[in-house]
Amino acid sequence: MSNAEPSPSEIAEREEDFALHSLAEKHAADRRYKASKEELLHFYEQMLLIRRFEEKAGQLYGLGLIGGFCHLYIGQEAVAVGLQSALKGGLDSVITGYRDHGHMLAYGIDPKVIMAELTGRHSGISKGKGGSMHMFSVEHGFYGGHGIVGAQVPLGSGLAFAHKYREDGGVTLAYFGDGAANQGQVYESFNMASLWKLPIIFVIENNQYAMGTAVSRSSAETHFYRRGTAFRIPGMQVNGMDVLEVRKAAEIAIEHVRGGNGPVLMELNTYRYRGHSMSDPAKYRTREEVQGVREKRDPIEHAKTELMEMGVAEASLKEIDKRVRASVGQAADFAESSPEPDASELYTDVLVETY
Amino acid sequence: MPVEVKMPALSPTMEEGKLAKWLVKEGDEVSSGDVLAEIETDKATMEFEAVDEGKVGKLVVPEGTDGVKVGTVIAIMAGEDEDVSEASSSPEPAPQAKADEQPAKEKPKAKKGGAPKVEEPEKDLKADESKADKASEKDDKAELETGTTQLGSDIKPAKSDEVPHGVNMKTATVREALRDAMAEEMRRDERVFIMGEEVAEYQGAYKVTQGLLEEFGPKRVIDTPITEYGFAGIGTGAAMGGLRPIVEFMTFNFAMQAIDHIINSAAKTNYMSGGQMRCPVVFRGPNGAAARVAAQHSQNYGPWYASVPGLVVIAPYDASDAKGLLKAAIRSEDPVVFLENELVYGRSFELPELDDHVLPIGKARIVREGTSVTIVSYSIGVGVSLEAAEKLAGEGIEVEVVDLRTLRPLDKATVLESLKKTNRMVVVEEGFPVCSIASEIITICMEEGFDDLDAPVLRVCDEDVPLPYAANLEKAALIDVDRVIAAVKKVCYR
Ligand SMILES: Cc1ncc(C[n+]2csc(CCOP(=O)(O)OP(=O)(O)O)c2C)c(N)n1
Ligand SMILES: [Mg+2]
């Protein structure tokens, strides 16, 4: 090695000031969004809506009204609510996998048409043809709802490509799981997104498990936020159980991405309370582990405590709960009473045009 | 207001289960997320959680009860502030209130039109509990019926003459037969190992690899990350390197991620290397439609793989074929795509008690003899065909049912021989109609059996659309017995 070459410590130093850390540092300096009482109340209500909606979906599944695979978002509510609250409605895009009910509710999409999709009825958002895993609302910039693990990552990069191409200033959030994070297409996307400076935030919802596989049994690098390093994508590690921390991280990332600086990789540490889907033998973790997270880290309880500290009366929180339950109840009734799709729908939407 | 807790459906295919254990007792206060009971399905024991807080009123079904139908009331909960929200949101619902304005209530669903019975949920809960039991069971069953219900079958294939005379037969599920095939081959040959998602610690997503980790250890039963392209390539490479990998795909839908290695790496290697480099790998897993899992999770890839020279493609129906052909596949020097079916895993069949039950690849099997018309099918379509054949026998039409078992190489001789005998043919395939196995069979009949045909060969396949989620559309999309019967009658000009 000649003297002109940098020494290992010099290399390490260069790595240190490498921009990859800049966003994490910015976030560390100011971790939580300063929400007004009204804003936090709104986040609380959205999270509660997702929770109650998912509980109801679980019930309807048990009654046989929902079939197939149904993946609940219970425990992860702060992620979708915190991130999506920072987006520009009508401009930005979102895409995720099959655990998608929460992301749609966080957009304010009517719970009725989501529930009716779960029961496979004609008033469902995909006319009953897609079901739980395949829901879309192009109107809201929500591009699904994808059943194949990892597929949404290049697709999301494509949505970001379109934003850049059109120069519309929009950004894309592409959500995927800790399990999905091992798919090869994820890294192909990282490379192209970074190379072409695509406006995308890769959001890893690390709920610690992929079906029955704990992160440490499937991943050589379990700190997912570091996985963009080889592609020069800055990483952020965020507590996904705190809606205000998530919101703040979102703002920092969005500013970076919207500024034309290329992608950000964000890892949100979260937890799913329920089984992977409705059929889950739950042998891979202990009840105590689940109960422990529920009791100590629950995002909704957390927000509730904070609201009460802000002086919100218990009665107004009860009022919200009532409102949410009523809305979920109506969604369920609607989803049960709405008719099945017309038989002719079997052949519609296969192709757009007629040839 | 008391709330009925019903036997939950804990998986897409569950119809009944065992209430193994109550974890609460009458009078207990529970909150959302508390485990109420342990329920056993054919696949696993699962914990059943409370959805709302409340007090356990009555445990209706005692623990240890077997065969509890989904939808049966198993407990009554005394709700807590359940009625608070309802009372305030709509005190006196107008008779013709729109459905979506009605309050949340665990009310029995208003089915078959007419006046919906919304009021008095308590009444039908207690008063006619016993009488209502049977009726509501039926109702709930109807609710659960999906398109895949019509793929069910109780009729067993006729005993195969491949099984030596006098051999003892036992009853086994297809799931057990597949597991035993792998275990036996792993005992026999050190080079055999299995890799895939959730195959080891979880015991298999569909429990096909149950117990293998325990017997063979983590060196030979390997959990992979969700990286189909990567591990299919690793399996293929290991086969090139002299091992005998079994690569499990959680379902064949996910093998689409890996299809490049199956086709470009595994299927073509022996040819490209002039026979120097072999690739004895088995790619296996469930294929075809499953209940209500919609378009991305419901496809039959049989025709795709069967179109590729260099591959062997097997799609068995019953337990004996599943075992005998999987053992043959593992021993084969060629790459094999072995297509199973989730809906068939739990079906029981006769399985010969032989030390080494290995069946020939590339041979079809006549699973019912007949003289009037031939039905050619494979995999789950065989059950549907046997059902149709039974019904048609009642009308004097004697159907011969041919189970192809191997899709590549295809046993043309058996198909053509049967055609020669019956002069009429219908192909039954749970899969898309266009460029299907049915298309291939029809071509063979045109090219090599034309003189034996008394009617055009017809195909009964799924509708030519991505599989829809809605129950009614799913039913309409998938093959069923009635469609098979109609096609058979048509080729018989009846
Ligand atoms: C390509 C592919 N392989 C396997 C599956 C089956 N599968 C569905 S979800 C899942 C686990 C995914 O875990 P993770 O990415 O952590 O997301 P989470 O479910 O935890 O939200 C698996 C293996 C699939 N849908 N697609
Ligand atoms: Mg996960």
Side-chain angles (χ1 to χ4, degrees), chain B residues 175-187 192-196 198-205 207-223 246-248 284 326 330 340:
Chain B
R175 177 181 283 117
E176 291 160 349
L178 292 166
R179 194 256 334 269
D180 290 352
M182 289 188 281
E184 286 175 21
E185 291 308 298
M186 288 175 81
R187 280 175 214 132
V192 180
F193 69 95
I194 173 149
M195 67 195 305
E198 309 285 5
V199 298
E201 294 199 8
Y202 199 86
Q203 309 295 322
K207 298 286 170 278
V208 176
T209 52
Q210 187 130 37
L212 295 183
L213 174 65
E214 202 189 336
E215 181 174 352
F216 301 101
K219 180 183 169 193
R220 300 179 70 196
V221 184
I222 305 162
D223 276 327
I246 305 169
V247 174
E248 173 175 311
R284 52 154 289 273
L326 182 53
I330 295 168
E340 301 158 10

Side-chain angles (χ1 to χ4, degrees), chain B residues 304-352:
Chain B
W304 291 45
Y305 293 111
S307 75
V308 180
L311 283 182
V312 169
V313 184
I314 298 172
Y317 175 58
D318 76 359
S320 170
D321 286 349
K323 182 172 184 188
L325 288 168
L326 182 53
K327 282 168 69 85
I330 295 168
R331 290 184 197 183
S332 166
E333 290 292 339
D334 292 305
V336 179
V337 171
F338 194 90
L339 304 167
E340 301 158 10
N341 190 299
E342 187 202 327
L343 300 168
V344 174
Y345 279 152
R347 291 190 195 170
S348 294
F349 297 94
E350 298 267 272
L351 183 62

Side-chain angles (χ1 to χ4, degrees), chain A residues 51 74-77 206-209 239-242 269-274 285-302:
Chain A
R51 172 92 30 117
I74 296 179
Q76 303 180 213
E77 298 90 345
N206 181 0
N207 60 10
Q208 320 302 330
Y209 295 92
N239 174 10
M241 303 302 268
D242 176 358
N269 290 104
T270 180
Y271 200 78
R272 83 170 143 69
Y273 297 176
R274 293 300 191 89
R285 59 182 184 185
T286 63
R287 293 271 342 139
E288 291 69 44
E289 179 184 312
V290 182
Q291 225 38 46
V293 178
R294 266 195 137 111
E295 276 157 24
K296 297 197 194 75
R297 295 180 59 207
D298 187 71
I300 296 177
E301 283 304 312
H302 188 188

Side-chain angles (χ1 to χ4, degrees), chain A residues 76 98-99 177-180 205-211 213 215 272:
Chain A
Q76 303 180 213
Y98 43 82
R99 198 180 297 286
D178 45 280
E205 294 197 65
N206 181 0
N207 60 10
Q208 320 302 330
Y209 295 92
M211 281 184 75
T213 304
V215 160
R272 83 170 143 69

Side-chain angles (χ1 to χ4, degrees), chain B residues 240 269-279:
Chain B
M240 292 168 173
T269 298
N270 193 53
Y271 191 79
M272 294 188 302
S273 69
Q276 298 173 69
M277 197 160 115
R278 295 174 178 179
C279 193

Side-chain angles (χ1 to χ4, degrees), chain A residues 22-337:
Chain A
S22 62
L23 300 184
E25 277 159 18
K26 203 165 170 186
H27 191 216
D30 185 7
R31 286 205 88 79
R32 304 187 78 230
Y33 177 70
K34 284 171 199 59
S36 68
K37 204 188 327 187
E38 288 64 39
E39 279 174 311
L40 189 54
L41 273 169
H42 182 59
F43 295 159
Y44 176 77
E45 181 158 351
Q46 281 186 304
M47 292 195 289
L48 201 62
L49 175 66
I50 296 173
R51 172 92 30 117
R52 297 281 174 256
F53 180 95
E54 295 290 64
E55 287 170 350
K56 181 62 82 180
Q59 273 177 336
L60 296 187
Y61 193 96
L63 294 175
L65 284 160
I66 297 173
F69 291 131
C70 182
H71 308 83
L72 304 182
Y73 200 57
I74 296 179
Q76 303 180 213
E77 298 90 345
V79 175
V81 169
L83 285 172
Q84 278 163 237
S85 67
L87 290 181
K88 276 192 193 159
L91 173 63
D92 297 333
S93 315
V94 166
I95 189 165
T96 186
Y98 43 82
R99 198 180 297 286
D100 57 355
H101 317 161
H103 305 85
M104 303 194 75
L105 291 165
Y107 257 130
I109 296 171
D110 186 353
K112 283 188 199 139
V113 299
I114 306 174
M115 199 68 97
E117 188 59 36
L118 299 188
T119 55
R121 305 303 167 96
H122 95 113
S123 37
I125 195 158
S126 298
K127 301 182 200 163
K129 292 172 166 185
S132 164
M133 299 189 285
H134 316 106
M135 292 198 269
F136 311 82
S137 174
V138 173
E139 180 196 343
H140 287 86
F142 180 75
Y143 291 89
H146 296 268
I148 303 300
V149 165
Q152 69 272 35
V153 183
L155 297 176
S157 305
L159 294 168
F161 184 95
H163 282 302
K164 180 160 185 189
Y165 191 92
R166 287 197 307 260
E167 299 178 22
D168 62 9
V171 303
T172 299
L173 288 188
Y175 293 90
F176 53 106
D178 45 280
N182 291 319
Q183 281 280 22
Q185 55 184 319
V186 170
Y187 299 92
E188 299 182 19
S189 307
F190 281 8
N191 185 46
M192 284 182 274
S194 185
L195 182 68
W196 298 333
K197 298 234 176 308
L198 301 182
I200 181 165
I201 303 175
F202 297 107
V203 178
I204 299 184
E205 294 197 65
N206 181 0
N207 60 10
Q208 320 302 330
Y209 295 92
M211 281 184 75
T213 304
V215 160
S216 60
R217 293 208 301 116
S218 66
S219 296
E221 170 58 273
T222 57
H223 294 293
F224 292 97
Y225 68 95
R226 293 182 186 160
R227 289 194 176 193
T229 310
F231 305 95
R232 305 195 70 79
I233 299 175
M236 299 174 81
Q237 193 183 23
V238 180
N239 174 10
M241 303 302 268
D242 176 358
V243 71
L244 297 184
E245 179 167 337
V246 175
R247 167 63 187 250
K248 184 72 199 184
E251 290 190 352
I252 293 169
I254 289 170
E255 190 193 354
H256 179 88
V257 168
R258 230 191 274 285
N261 302 302
V264 171
L265 172 58
M266 193 185 287
E267 173 184 358
L268 290 111
N269 290 104
T270 180
Y271 200 78
R272 83 170 143 69
Y273 297 176
R274 293 300 191 89
H276 166 72
S277 66
M278 297 308 296
S279 49
D280 182 338
K283 287 272 147 62
Y284 50 86
R285 59 182 184 185
T286 63
R287 293 271 342 139
E288 291 69 44
E289 179 184 312
V290 182
Q291 225 38 46
V293 178
R294 266 195 137 111
E295 276 157 24
K296 297 197 194 75
R297 295 180 59 207
D298 187 71
I300 296 177
E301 283 304 312
H302 188 188
K304 187 175 182 178
T305 311
E306 201 153 355
L307 281 166
M308 286 168 69
E309 282 164 11
M310 285 168 127
V312 176
E314 180 122 35
S316 15
L317 294 178
K318 274 239 158 90
E319 200 53 46
I320 293 180
D321 196 39
K322 246 192 248 172
R323 192 157 66 220
V324 164
R325 276 179 196 273
S327 141
V328 168
Q330 283 165 14
D333 284 352
F334 177 77
E336 270 189 68
S337 55

Side-chain angles (χ1 to χ4, degrees), chain A residues 52 55-56 58-69 112 116-121 127-134 145-149 151 179-180 182-185 188 210-213 217-219 273-276 278-284 287 290-291 294 318 321-322 325-326 328-331 333-334 336-337 340-348 350, chain B residues 3 6-13 31-35 43-47 49-53 70-71 81-82 84-85 88-89 99-110 140 143-144 197-198 200-202 205-207 223-229 250 253-254 257 291-297 342 463-474 476-477:
Chain A
R52 297 281 174 256
E55 287 170 350
K56 181 62 82 180
Q59 273 177 336
L60 296 187
Y61 193 96
L63 294 175
L65 284 160
I66 297 173
F69 291 131
K112 283 188 199 139
E117 188 59 36
L118 299 188
T119 55
R121 305 303 167 96
K127 301 182 200 163
K129 292 172 166 185
S132 164
M133 299 189 285
H134 316 106
H146 296 268
I148 303 300
V149 165
N182 291 319
Q183 281 280 22
Q185 55 184 319
E188 299 182 19
M211 281 184 75
T213 304
R217 293 208 301 116
S218 66
S219 296
Y273 297 176
R274 293 300 191 89
H276 166 72
M278 297 308 296
S279 49
D280 182 338
K283 287 272 147 62
Y284 50 86
R287 293 271 342 139
V290 182
Q291 225 38 46
R294 266 195 137 111
K318 274 239 158 90
D321 196 39
K322 246 192 248 172
R325 276 179 196 273
V328 168
Q330 283 165 14
D333 284 352
F334 177 77
E336 270 189 68
S337 55
E340 291 186 307
D342 191 81
S344 64
E345 284 292 348
L346 185 59
Y347 307 101
T348 60
V350 179
Chain B
V3 175
K6 293 184 177 169
M7 184 70 169
L10 294 169
S11 78
T13 45
S31 52
S32 153
D34 288 351
V35 181
K43 287 179 201 153
T45 304
M46 279 180 276
E47 294 177 333
E49 297 176 357
V51 175
D52 265 323
E53 61 263 315
V70 167
D81 57 296
E82 182 66 29
V84 180
S85 59
S88 55
S89 62
D100 55 81
E101 281 165 1
Q102 274 168 17
K105 226 184 270 180
E106 290 310 315
K107 59 172 185 263
K109 190 183 170 245
D140 282 318
E143 200 68 70
L144 282 171
E197 293 159 23
E198 309 285 5
E201 294 199 8
Y202 199 86
Y206 298 100
K207 298 286 170 278
D223 276 327
T224 64
I226 311 170
T227 51
E228 287 83 2
Y229 187 29
M250 195 176 280
N253 303 288
F254 315 141
Q257 307 265 323
R292 303 289 303 278
V293 293
Q296 291 185 328
H297 284 71
E342 187 202 327
E463 290 301 302
D464 192 19
V465 298
L467 200 72
Y469 168 74
N472 66 327
L473 298 185
E474 189 187 61

